[in-house]
Amino acid sequence: DTAVSQTPKYLVTQMGNDKSIKCEQNLGHDTMYWYKQDSKKFLKIMFSYNNKELIINETVPNRFSPKSPDKAHLNLHINSLELGDSAVYFCASSQQTGPYEQYFGPGTRLTVT
Amino acid sequence: GNSVTQMEGPVTLSEEAFLTINCTYTATGYPSLFWYVQYPGEGLQLLLKATKADDKGSNKGFEATYRKETTSFHLEKGSVQVSDSAVYFCALITASGGYNKLIFGAGTRLAVHP
């Protein structure tokens, strides 16, 4: 059984388009995250949600809008895609906020042409 | 601010060699420390963790000890295998950051040859 799943796994699109990435966790966790991994493998937090409430927005452009319809889902919508948005996006979840293990999804590789 | 510094890769070793990947951190308060591993084409998996000074995390033959005096959390394995080839990330989480985010090092790529 997949703990944290993301769709799609690959996303190729043109500049200016709007796209969404979906994330679901079946672990019963309260907290979910979005991370961005750039071409040099550097990972950085984008957003964190706890019980459907946004608790971290790490200076991400407002073209990125996360939405959490319930505790098990955290989707990422990106408007007006730019070349610099090309990266791998990882969703993660943890039991709650704190020094707990974060479980990562398989990632979505976004390529903007 | 809080940060993690890892040794640059790639690290290339022969099978059964000894592995050390250095990790040092800067943090306010008392962070919890983690090593995550990313195999090719996959997401990150927790390898091991330590939550207080002098704790030793261990898993799959890998070990790391939380050294507060040197602010380090170096990853070691006595005998690497080809299947250990991956990117390894050192990370921390702190209460001063609201425990809301992992802060990662830049990652170290390990390549093990037969």
mmCIF file of all heavy atoms in Angstrom, chain A residues 13-55:
data_model
loop_
_atom_site.group_PDB
_atom_site.id
_atom_site.type_symbol
_atom_site.label_atom_id
_atom_site.label_comp_id
_atom_site.label_asym_id
_atom_site.label_seq_id
_atom_site.Cartn_x
_atom_site.Cartn_y
_atom_site.Cartn_z
ATOM 1 N N THR A 13 4.859 20.692 -19.846
ATOM 2 C CA THR A 13 3.898 21.698 -20.244
ATOM 3 C C THR A 13 4.631 22.926 -20.754
ATOM 4 O O THR A 13 5.839 23.055 -20.613
ATOM 5 C CB THR A 13 2.983 22.059 -19.057
ATOM 6 O OG1 THR A 13 1.934 22.918 -19.513
ATOM 7 C CG2 THR A 13 3.779 22.764 -17.960
ATOM 8 N N GLN A 14 3.880 23.837 -21.352
ATOM 9 C CA GLN A 14 4.493 25.039 -21.903
ATOM 10 C C GLN A 14 4.377 26.201 -20.950
ATOM 11 O O GLN A 14 3.491 26.242 -20.065
ATOM 12 C CB GLN A 14 3.821 25.384 -23.243
ATOM 13 C CG GLN A 14 4.107 24.362 -24.330
ATOM 14 C CD GLN A 14 3.494 24.778 -25.660
ATOM 15 O OE1 GLN A 14 2.460 25.430 -25.705
ATOM 16 N NE2 GLN A 14 4.137 24.388 -26.750
ATOM 17 N N MET A 15 5.254 27.149 -21.133
ATOM 18 C CA MET A 15 5.233 28.379 -20.336
ATOM 19 C C MET A 15 3.865 29.026 -20.436
ATOM 20 O O MET A 15 3.246 29.045 -21.513
ATOM 21 C CB MET A 15 6.283 29.360 -20.873
ATOM 22 C CG MET A 15 7.681 29.071 -20.440
ATOM 23 S SD MET A 15 8.790 30.488 -20.691
ATOM 24 C CE MET A 15 8.393 30.949 -22.345
ATOM 25 N N GLY A 16 3.415 29.572 -19.315
ATOM 26 C CA GLY A 16 2.150 30.288 -19.298
ATOM 27 C C GLY A 16 0.953 29.431 -18.946
ATOM 28 O O GLY A 16 -0.110 29.963 -18.591
ATOM 29 N N ASN A 17 1.127 28.107 -19.023
ATOM 30 C CA ASN A 17 0.009 27.228 -18.672
ATOM 31 C C ASN A 17 -0.188 27.156 -17.154
ATOM 32 O O ASN A 17 0.676 27.526 -16.375
ATOM 33 C CB ASN A 17 0.263 25.813 -19.208
ATOM 34 C CG ASN A 17 0.039 25.730 -20.711
ATOM 35 O OD1 ASN A 17 -0.492 26.656 -21.331
ATOM 36 N ND2 ASN A 17 0.460 24.631 -21.308
ATOM 37 N N ASP A 18 -1.379 26.637 -16.788
ATOM 38 C CA ASP A 18 -1.698 26.373 -15.385
ATOM 39 C C ASP A 18 -1.782 24.859 -15.204
ATOM 40 O O ASP A 18 -2.396 24.169 -16.014
ATOM 41 C CB ASP A 18 -3.047 26.989 -15.002
ATOM 42 C CG ASP A 18 -3.125 28.470 -15.261
ATOM 43 O OD1 ASP A 18 -2.068 29.122 -15.338
ATOM 44 O OD2 ASP A 18 -4.250 28.991 -15.388
ATOM 45 N N LYS A 19 -1.172 24.366 -14.115
ATOM 46 C CA LYS A 19 -1.198 22.912 -13.876
ATOM 47 C C LYS A 19 -1.362 22.647 -12.390
ATOM 48 O O LYS A 19 -1.065 23.489 -11.542
ATOM 49 C CB LYS A 19 0.102 22.259 -14.354
ATOM 50 C CG LYS A 19 0.254 22.234 -15.868
ATOM 51 C CD LYS A 19 -0.778 21.325 -16.502
ATOM 52 C CE LYS A 19 -0.634 21.315 -18.027
ATOM 53 N NZ LYS A 19 -1.712 20.546 -18.675
ATOM 54 N N SER A 20 -1.816 21.421 -12.102
ATOM 55 C CA SER A 20 -1.971 20.984 -10.715
ATOM 56 C C SER A 20 -1.275 19.662 -10.474
ATOM 57 O O SER A 20 -1.203 18.816 -11.371
ATOM 58 C CB SER A 20 -3.459 20.824 -10.365
ATOM 59 O OG SER A 20 -4.113 22.053 -10.334
ATOM 60 N N ILE A 21 -0.773 19.494 -9.253
ATOM 61 C CA ILE A 21 -0.200 18.231 -8.798
ATOM 62 C C ILE A 21 -0.995 17.808 -7.564
ATOM 63 O O ILE A 21 -1.260 18.635 -6.681
ATOM 64 C CB ILE A 21 1.286 18.376 -8.412
ATOM 65 C CG1 ILE A 21 2.085 18.982 -9.568
ATOM 66 C CG2 ILE A 21 1.869 17.019 -8.026
ATOM 67 C CD1 ILE A 21 3.509 19.354 -9.199
ATOM 68 N N LYS A 22 -1.364 16.530 -7.536
ATOM 69 C CA LYS A 22 -2.171 16.048 -6.417
ATOM 70 C C LYS A 22 -1.342 15.174 -5.499
ATOM 71 O O LYS A 22 -0.443 14.453 -5.937
ATOM 72 C CB LYS A 22 -3.371 15.266 -6.939
ATOM 73 C CG LYS A 22 -4.336 16.121 -7.731
ATOM 74 C CD LYS A 22 -5.591 15.354 -8.109
ATOM 75 C CE LYS A 22 -6.569 16.278 -8.822
ATOM 76 N NZ LYS A 22 -7.822 15.580 -9.180
ATOM 77 N N CYS A 23 -1.675 15.234 -4.218
ATOM 78 C CA CYS A 23 -0.983 14.425 -3.218
ATOM 79 C C CYS A 23 -2.003 13.855 -2.240
ATOM 80 O O CYS A 23 -2.904 14.570 -1.777
ATOM 81 C CB CYS A 23 0.046 15.261 -2.472
ATOM 82 S SG CYS A 23 0.875 14.342 -1.150
ATOM 83 N N GLU A 24 -1.815 12.587 -1.918
ATOM 84 C CA GLU A 24 -2.685 11.932 -0.949
ATOM 85 C C GLU A 24 -1.849 11.075 -0.019
ATOM 86 O O GLU A 24 -0.915 10.405 -0.461
ATOM 87 C CB GLU A 24 -3.707 11.048 -1.670
ATOM 88 C CG GLU A 24 -4.609 10.253 -0.739
ATOM 89 C CD GLU A 24 -5.613 9.382 -1.475
ATOM 90 O OE1 GLU A 24 -5.566 9.322 -2.720
ATOM 91 O OE2 GLU A 24 -6.441 8.742 -0.794
ATOM 92 N N GLN A 25 -2.184 11.087 1.265
ATOM 93 C CA GLN A 25 -1.512 10.193 2.204
ATOM 94 C C GLN A 25 -2.567 9.361 2.945
ATOM 95 O O GLN A 25 -3.617 9.876 3.316
ATOM 96 C CB GLN A 25 -0.603 10.973 3.180
ATOM 97 C CG GLN A 25 -1.257 12.108 3.957
ATOM 98 C CD GLN A 25 -1.771 11.745 5.319
ATOM 99 O OE1 GLN A 25 -1.617 10.616 5.793
ATOM 100 N NE2 GLN A 25 -2.393 12.717 5.998
ATOM 101 N N ASN A 26 -2.237 8.082 3.129
ATOM 102 C CA ASN A 26 -3.169 7.180 3.819
ATOM 103 C C ASN A 26 -2.629 6.744 5.172
ATOM 104 O O ASN A 26 -2.952 5.655 5.665
ATOM 105 C CB ASN A 26 -3.489 5.967 2.931
ATOM 106 C CG ASN A 26 -2.254 5.130 2.621
ATOM 107 O OD1 ASN A 26 -1.175 5.375 3.160
ATOM 108 N ND2 ASN A 26 -2.399 4.150 1.760
ATOM 109 N N LEU A 27 -1.810 7.609 5.769
ATOM 110 C CA LEU A 27 -1.164 7.295 7.052
ATOM 111 C C LEU A 27 -1.911 7.872 8.240
ATOM 112 O O LEU A 27 -1.496 7.668 9.381
ATOM 113 C CB LEU A 27 0.275 7.841 7.029
ATOM 114 C CG LEU A 27 1.164 7.218 5.960
ATOM 115 C CD1 LEU A 27 2.433 8.045 5.786
ATOM 116 C CD2 LEU A 27 1.502 5.778 6.316
ATOM 117 N N GLY A 28 -2.946 8.652 7.978
ATOM 118 C CA GLY A 28 -3.668 9.282 9.070
ATOM 119 C C GLY A 28 -2.925 10.443 9.703
ATOM 120 O O GLY A 28 -3.208 10.833 10.842
ATOM 121 N N HIS A 29 -1.964 10.993 8.989
ATOM 122 C CA HIS A 29 -1.146 12.087 9.515
ATOM 123 C C HIS A 29 -1.904 13.406 9.501
ATOM 124 O O HIS A 29 -2.810 13.617 8.700
ATOM 125 C CB HIS A 29 0.130 12.234 8.680
ATOM 126 C CG HIS A 29 1.114 11.139 8.921
ATOM 127 N ND1 HIS A 29 2.220 10.942 8.110
ATOM 128 C CD2 HIS A 29 1.186 10.178 9.874
ATOM 129 C CE1 HIS A 29 2.919 9.922 8.569
ATOM 130 N NE2 HIS A 29 2.308 9.438 9.629
ATOM 131 N N ASP A 30 -1.476 14.307 10.416
ATOM 132 C CA ASP A 30 -2.106 15.624 10.503
ATOM 133 C C ASP A 30 -1.407 16.678 9.647
ATOM 134 O O ASP A 30 -2.000 17.694 9.323
ATOM 135 C CB ASP A 30 -2.092 16.120 11.955
ATOM 136 C CG ASP A 30 -3.129 15.419 12.818
ATOM 137 O OD1 ASP A 30 -4.008 14.752 12.253
ATOM 138 O OD2 ASP A 30 -3.060 15.547 14.045
ATOM 139 N N THR A 31 -0.135 16.459 9.357
ATOM 140 C CA THR A 31 0.669 17.504 8.727
ATOM 141 C C THR A 31 1.181 17.052 7.367
ATOM 142 O O THR A 31 1.650 15.932 7.218
ATOM 143 C CB THR A 31 1.862 17.870 9.639
ATOM 144 O OG1 THR A 31 1.375 18.127 10.958
ATOM 145 C CG2 THR A 31 2.562 19.119 9.134
ATOM 146 N N MET A 32 1.075 17.963 6.396
ATOM 147 C CA MET A 32 1.543 17.671 5.043
ATOM 148 C C MET A 32 2.400 18.827 4.533
ATOM 149 O O MET A 32 2.265 19.966 4.992
ATOM 150 C CB MET A 32 0.361 17.405 4.098
ATOM 151 C CG MET A 32 -0.430 16.162 4.492
ATOM 152 S SD MET A 32 -1.732 15.739 3.328
ATOM 153 C CE MET A 32 -0.773 15.089 1.941
ATOM 154 N N TYR A 33 3.272 18.510 3.570
ATOM 155 C CA TYR A 33 4.276 19.457 3.106
ATOM 156 C C TYR A 33 4.426 19.361 1.587
ATOM 157 O O TYR A 33 4.197 18.314 1.001
ATOM 158 C CB TYR A 33 5.648 19.137 3.714
ATOM 159 C CG TYR A 33 5.676 18.884 5.199
ATOM 160 C CD1 TYR A 33 5.324 17.637 5.723
ATOM 161 C CD2 TYR A 33 6.078 19.880 6.084
ATOM 162 C CE1 TYR A 33 5.353 17.401 7.085
ATOM 163 C CE2 TYR A 33 6.119 19.646 7.452
ATOM 164 C CZ TYR A 33 5.754 18.405 7.940
ATOM 165 O OH TYR A 33 5.791 18.167 9.310
ATOM 166 N N TRP A 34 4.901 20.465 1.007
ATOM 167 C CA TRP A 34 5.420 20.449 -0.352
ATOM 168 C C TRP A 34 6.864 20.930 -0.314
ATOM 169 O O TRP A 34 7.158 21.961 0.291
ATOM 170 C CB TRP A 34 4.620 21.351 -1.287
ATOM 171 C CG TRP A 34 3.383 20.727 -1.815
ATOM 172 C CD1 TRP A 34 2.093 21.046 -1.497
ATOM 173 C CD2 TRP A 34 3.296 19.666 -2.774
ATOM 174 N NE1 TRP A 34 1.218 20.245 -2.180
ATOM 175 C CE2 TRP A 34 1.925 19.382 -2.979
ATOM 176 C CE3 TRP A 34 4.235 18.904 -3.484
ATOM 177 C CZ2 TRP A 34 1.483 18.394 -3.858
ATOM 178 C CZ3 TRP A 34 3.800 17.926 -4.348
ATOM 179 C CH2 TRP A 34 2.434 17.681 -4.533
ATOM 180 N N TYR A 35 7.738 20.154 -0.990
ATOM 181 C CA TYR A 35 9.141 20.516 -1.140
ATOM 182 C C TYR A 35 9.461 20.605 -2.630
ATOM 183 O O TYR A 35 8.880 19.891 -3.444
ATOM 184 C CB TYR A 35 10.059 19.458 -0.523
ATOM 185 C CG TYR A 35 10.066 19.408 0.982
ATOM 186 C CD1 TYR A 35 9.130 18.654 1.674
ATOM 187 C CD2 TYR A 35 11.018 20.116 1.710
ATOM 188 C CE1 TYR A 35 9.134 18.605 3.058
ATOM 189 C CE2 TYR A 35 11.033 20.064 3.095
ATOM 190 C CZ TYR A 35 10.093 19.301 3.762
ATOM 191 O OH TYR A 35 10.102 19.259 5.130
ATOM 192 N N LYS A 36 10.433 21.458 -2.956
ATOM 193 C CA LYS A 36 10.902 21.571 -4.331
ATOM 194 C C LYS A 36 12.357 21.124 -4.379
ATOM 195 O O LYS A 36 13.167 21.552 -3.547
ATOM 196 C CB LYS A 36 10.778 23.021 -4.812
ATOM 197 C CG LYS A 36 11.270 23.258 -6.227
ATOM 198 C CD LYS A 36 11.101 24.726 -6.610
ATOM 199 C CE LYS A 36 11.595 24.986 -8.035
ATOM 200 N NZ LYS A 36 11.444 26.422 -8.423
ATOM 201 N N GLN A 37 12.670 20.259 -5.342
ATOM 202 C CA GLN A 37 14.058 19.820 -5.544
ATOM 203 C C GLN A 37 14.532 20.323 -6.901
ATOM 204 O O GLN A 37 13.987 19.961 -7.934
ATOM 205 C CB GLN A 37 14.173 18.299 -5.470
ATOM 206 C CG GLN A 37 15.616 17.804 -5.554
ATOM 207 C CD GLN A 37 15.748 16.313 -5.365
ATOM 208 O OE1 GLN A 37 15.016 15.533 -5.962
ATOM 209 N NE2 GLN A 37 16.680 15.897 -4.523
ATOM 210 N N ASP A 38 15.576 21.151 -6.888
ATOM 211 C CA ASP A 38 16.048 21.719 -8.142
ATOM 212 C C ASP A 38 16.989 20.762 -8.873
ATOM 213 O O ASP A 38 17.212 19.633 -8.424
ATOM 214 C CB ASP A 38 16.690 23.088 -7.903
ATOM 215 C CG ASP A 38 17.956 23.011 -7.055
ATOM 216 O OD1 ASP A 38 18.579 21.923 -6.973
ATOM 217 O OD2 ASP A 38 18.340 24.030 -6.464
ATOM 218 N N SER A 39 17.518 21.239 -9.973
ATOM 219 C CA SER A 39 18.330 20.374 -10.832
ATOM 220 C C SER A 39 19.623 19.914 -10.168
ATOM 221 O O SER A 39 20.211 18.922 -10.579
ATOM 222 C CB SER A 39 18.663 21.089 -12.142
ATOM 223 O OG SER A 39 19.360 22.279 -11.862
ATOM 224 N N LYS A 40 20.038 20.613 -9.122
ATOM 225 C CA LYS A 40 21.239 20.217 -8.381
ATOM 226 C C LYS A 40 20.886 19.381 -7.158
ATOM 227 O O LYS A 40 21.720 19.166 -6.290
ATOM 228 C CB LYS A 40 22.036 21.458 -7.963
ATOM 229 C CG LYS A 40 22.572 22.229 -9.148
ATOM 230 C CD LYS A 40 23.455 23.377 -8.715
ATOM 231 C CE LYS A 40 24.003 24.087 -9.938
ATOM 232 N NZ LYS A 40 24.849 25.238 -9.597
ATOM 233 N N LYS A 41 19.667 18.933 -7.100
ATOM 234 C CA LYS A 41 19.184 18.056 -6.019
ATOM 235 C C LYS A 41 18.925 18.787 -4.707
ATOM 236 O O LYS A 41 18.672 18.142 -3.690
ATOM 237 C CB LYS A 41 20.155 16.890 -5.748
ATOM 238 C CG LYS A 41 20.307 15.943 -6.919
ATOM 239 C CD LYS A 41 19.090 15.077 -7.061
ATOM 240 C CE LYS A 41 19.302 13.949 -8.050
ATOM 241 N NZ LYS A 41 18.055 13.173 -8.257
ATOM 242 N N PHE A 42 19.007 20.107 -4.717
ATOM 243 C CA PHE A 42 18.782 20.846 -3.486
ATOM 244 C C PHE A 42 17.290 20.865 -3.161
ATOM 245 O O PHE A 42 16.477 21.197 -4.009
ATOM 246 C CB PHE A 42 19.324 22.265 -3.595
ATOM 247 C CG PHE A 42 19.293 23.005 -2.293
ATOM 248 C CD1 PHE A 42 20.152 22.647 -1.269
ATOM 249 C CD2 PHE A 42 18.390 24.023 -2.083
ATOM 250 C CE1 PHE A 42 20.127 23.304 -0.060
ATOM 251 C CE2 PHE A 42 18.352 24.689 -0.871
ATOM 252 C CZ PHE A 42 19.217 24.330 0.147
ATOM 253 N N LEU A 43 16.953 20.530 -1.909
ATOM 254 C CA LEU A 43 15.568 20.432 -1.456
ATOM 255 C C LEU A 43 15.215 21.595 -0.561
ATOM 256 O O LEU A 43 15.942 21.915 0.390
ATOM 257 C CB LEU A 43 15.384 19.161 -0.636
ATOM 258 C CG LEU A 43 15.126 17.881 -1.394
ATOM 259 C CD1 LEU A 43 15.614 16.703 -0.590
ATOM 260 C CD2 LEU A 43 13.644 17.743 -1.700
ATOM 261 N N LYS A 44 14.031 22.192 -0.812
ATOM 262 C CA LYS A 44 13.620 23.319 0.011
ATOM 263 C C LYS A 44 12.118 23.236 0.248
ATOM 264 O O LYS A 44 11.349 22.926 -0.654
ATOM 265 C CB LYS A 44 13.971 24.623 -0.686
ATOM 266 C CG LYS A 44 13.876 25.850 0.213
ATOM 267 C CD LYS A 44 14.527 27.035 -0.447
ATOM 268 C CE LYS A 44 14.667 28.191 0.513
ATOM 269 N NZ LYS A 44 13.420 28.822 0.878
ATOM 270 N N ILE A 45 11.728 23.526 1.483
ATOM 271 C CA ILE A 45 10.317 23.539 1.838
ATOM 272 C C ILE A 45 9.617 24.658 1.081
ATOM 273 O O ILE A 45 10.176 25.730 0.862
ATOM 274 C CB ILE A 45 10.145 23.736 3.353
ATOM 275 C CG1 ILE A 45 8.674 23.644 3.766
ATOM 276 C CG2 ILE A 45 10.729 25.066 3.808
ATOM 277 C CD1 ILE A 45 8.134 22.267 3.839
ATOM 278 N N MET A 46 8.394 24.376 0.656
ATOM 279 C CA MET A 46 7.555 25.405 0.051
ATOM 280 C C MET A 46 6.397 25.740 0.985
ATOM 281 O O MET A 46 6.165 26.888 1.336
ATOM 282 C CB MET A 46 6.999 24.909 -1.283
ATOM 283 C CG MET A 46 8.045 24.590 -2.322
ATOM 284 S SD MET A 46 7.312 23.868 -3.794
ATOM 285 C CE MET A 46 6.422 25.271 -4.446
ATOM 286 N N PHE A 47 5.642 24.721 1.348
ATOM 287 C CA PHE A 47 4.455 24.909 2.173
ATOM 288 C C PHE A 47 4.352 23.795 3.206
ATOM 289 O O PHE A 47 4.827 22.693 2.989
ATOM 290 C CB PHE A 47 3.174 24.857 1.328
ATOM 291 C CG PHE A 47 3.089 25.883 0.243
ATOM 292 C CD1 PHE A 47 3.318 25.530 -1.078
ATOM 293 C CD2 PHE A 47 2.778 27.201 0.536
ATOM 294 C CE1 PHE A 47 3.233 26.464 -2.088
ATOM 295 C CE2 PHE A 47 2.687 28.151 -0.467
ATOM 296 C CZ PHE A 47 2.923 27.777 -1.777
ATOM 297 N N SER A 48 3.661 24.138 4.301
ATOM 298 C CA SER A 48 3.330 23.132 5.294
ATOM 299 C C SER A 48 1.904 23.387 5.764
ATOM 300 O O SER A 48 1.524 24.537 6.014
ATOM 301 C CB SER A 48 4.317 23.215 6.462
ATOM 302 O OG SER A 48 3.919 22.359 7.499
ATOM 303 N N TYR A 49 1.140 22.316 5.866
ATOM 304 C CA TYR A 49 -0.238 22.387 6.345
ATOM 305 C C TYR A 49 -0.397 21.474 7.545
ATOM 306 O O TYR A 49 0.097 20.348 7.559
ATOM 307 C CB TYR A 49 -1.207 21.905 5.253
ATOM 308 C CG TYR A 49 -1.721 22.981 4.343
ATOM 309 C CD1 TYR A 49 -0.901 23.529 3.371
ATOM 310 C CD2 TYR A 49 -3.026 23.440 4.446
ATOM 311 C CE1 TYR A 49 -1.370 24.524 2.533
ATOM 312 C CE2 TYR A 49 -3.508 24.425 3.605
ATOM 313 C CZ TYR A 49 -2.676 24.968 2.650
ATOM 314 O OH TYR A 49 -3.141 25.946 1.811
ATOM 315 N N ASN A 50 -1.114 21.960 8.548
ATOM 316 C CA ASN A 50 -1.451 21.140 9.694
ATOM 317 C C ASN A 50 -2.969 21.169 9.872
ATOM 318 O O ASN A 50 -3.558 22.246 10.033
ATOM 319 C CB ASN A 50 -0.754 21.648 10.959
ATOM 320 C CG ASN A 50 -0.922 20.690 12.116
ATOM 321 O OD1 ASN A 50 -0.597 19.514 12.014
ATOM 322 N ND2 ASN A 50 -1.431 21.194 13.222
ATOM 323 N N ASN A 51 -3.584 19.994 9.832
ATOM 324 C CA ASN A 51 -5.053 19.929 9.937
ATOM 325 C C ASN A 51 -5.740 20.897 8.980
ATOM 326 O O ASN A 51 -6.633 21.648 9.364
ATOM 327 C CB ASN A 51 -5.512 20.233 11.370
ATOM 328 C CG ASN A 51 -5.390 19.022 12.256
ATOM 329 O OD1 ASN A 51 -5.681 17.904 11.854
ATOM 330 N ND2 ASN A 51 -4.930 19.247 13.466
ATOM 331 N N LYS A 52 -5.298 20.889 7.769
ATOM 332 C CA LYS A 52 -5.856 21.681 6.666
ATOM 333 C C LYS A 52 -5.544 23.169 6.768
ATOM 334 O O LYS A 52 -6.005 23.951 5.942
ATOM 335 C CB LYS A 52 -7.379 21.501 6.554
ATOM 336 C CG LYS A 52 -7.837 20.073 6.361
ATOM 337 C CD LYS A 52 -9.285 19.998 5.928
ATOM 338 C CE LYS A 52 -10.200 20.605 6.958
ATOM 339 N NZ LYS A 52 -11.611 20.679 6.491
ATOM 340 N N GLU A 53 -4.766 23.579 7.748
ATOM 341 C CA GLU A 53 -4.431 24.997 7.869
ATOM 342 C C GLU A 53 -2.995 25.257 7.446
ATOM 343 O O GLU A 53 -2.078 24.531 7.862
ATOM 344 C CB GLU A 53 -4.613 25.467 9.307
ATOM 345 C CG GLU A 53 -6.074 25.615 9.693
ATOM 346 C CD GLU A 53 -6.240 26.368 11.004
ATOM 347 O OE1 GLU A 53 -5.371 27.193 11.336
ATOM 348 O OE2 GLU A 53 -7.239 26.108 11.684
ATOM 349 N N LEU A 54 -2.794 26.295 6.663
ATOM 350 C CA LEU A 54 -1.456 26.661 6.214
ATOM 351 C C LEU A 54 -0.643 27.175 7.387
ATOM 352 O O LEU A 54 -1.071 28.100 8.090
ATOM 353 C CB LEU A 54 -1.560 27.758 5.136
ATOM 354 C CG LEU A 54 -0.242 28.273 4.574
ATOM 355 C CD1 LEU A 54 0.452 27.178 3.764
ATOM 356 C CD2 LEU A 54 -0.489 29.509 3.713
ATOM 357 N N ILE A 55 0.538 26.570 7.631
ATOM 358 C CA ILE A 55 1.383 27.039 8.726
ATOM 359 C C ILE A 55 2.743 27.529 8.244
ATOM 360 O O ILE A 55 3.438 28.209 8.969
ATOM 361 C CB ILE A 55 1.554 25.965 9.824
ATOM 362 C CG1 ILE A 55 2.026 24.632 9.225
ATOM 363 C CG2 ILE A 55 0.277 25.782 10.603
ATOM 364 C CD1 ILE A 55 2.335 23.577 10.274
#
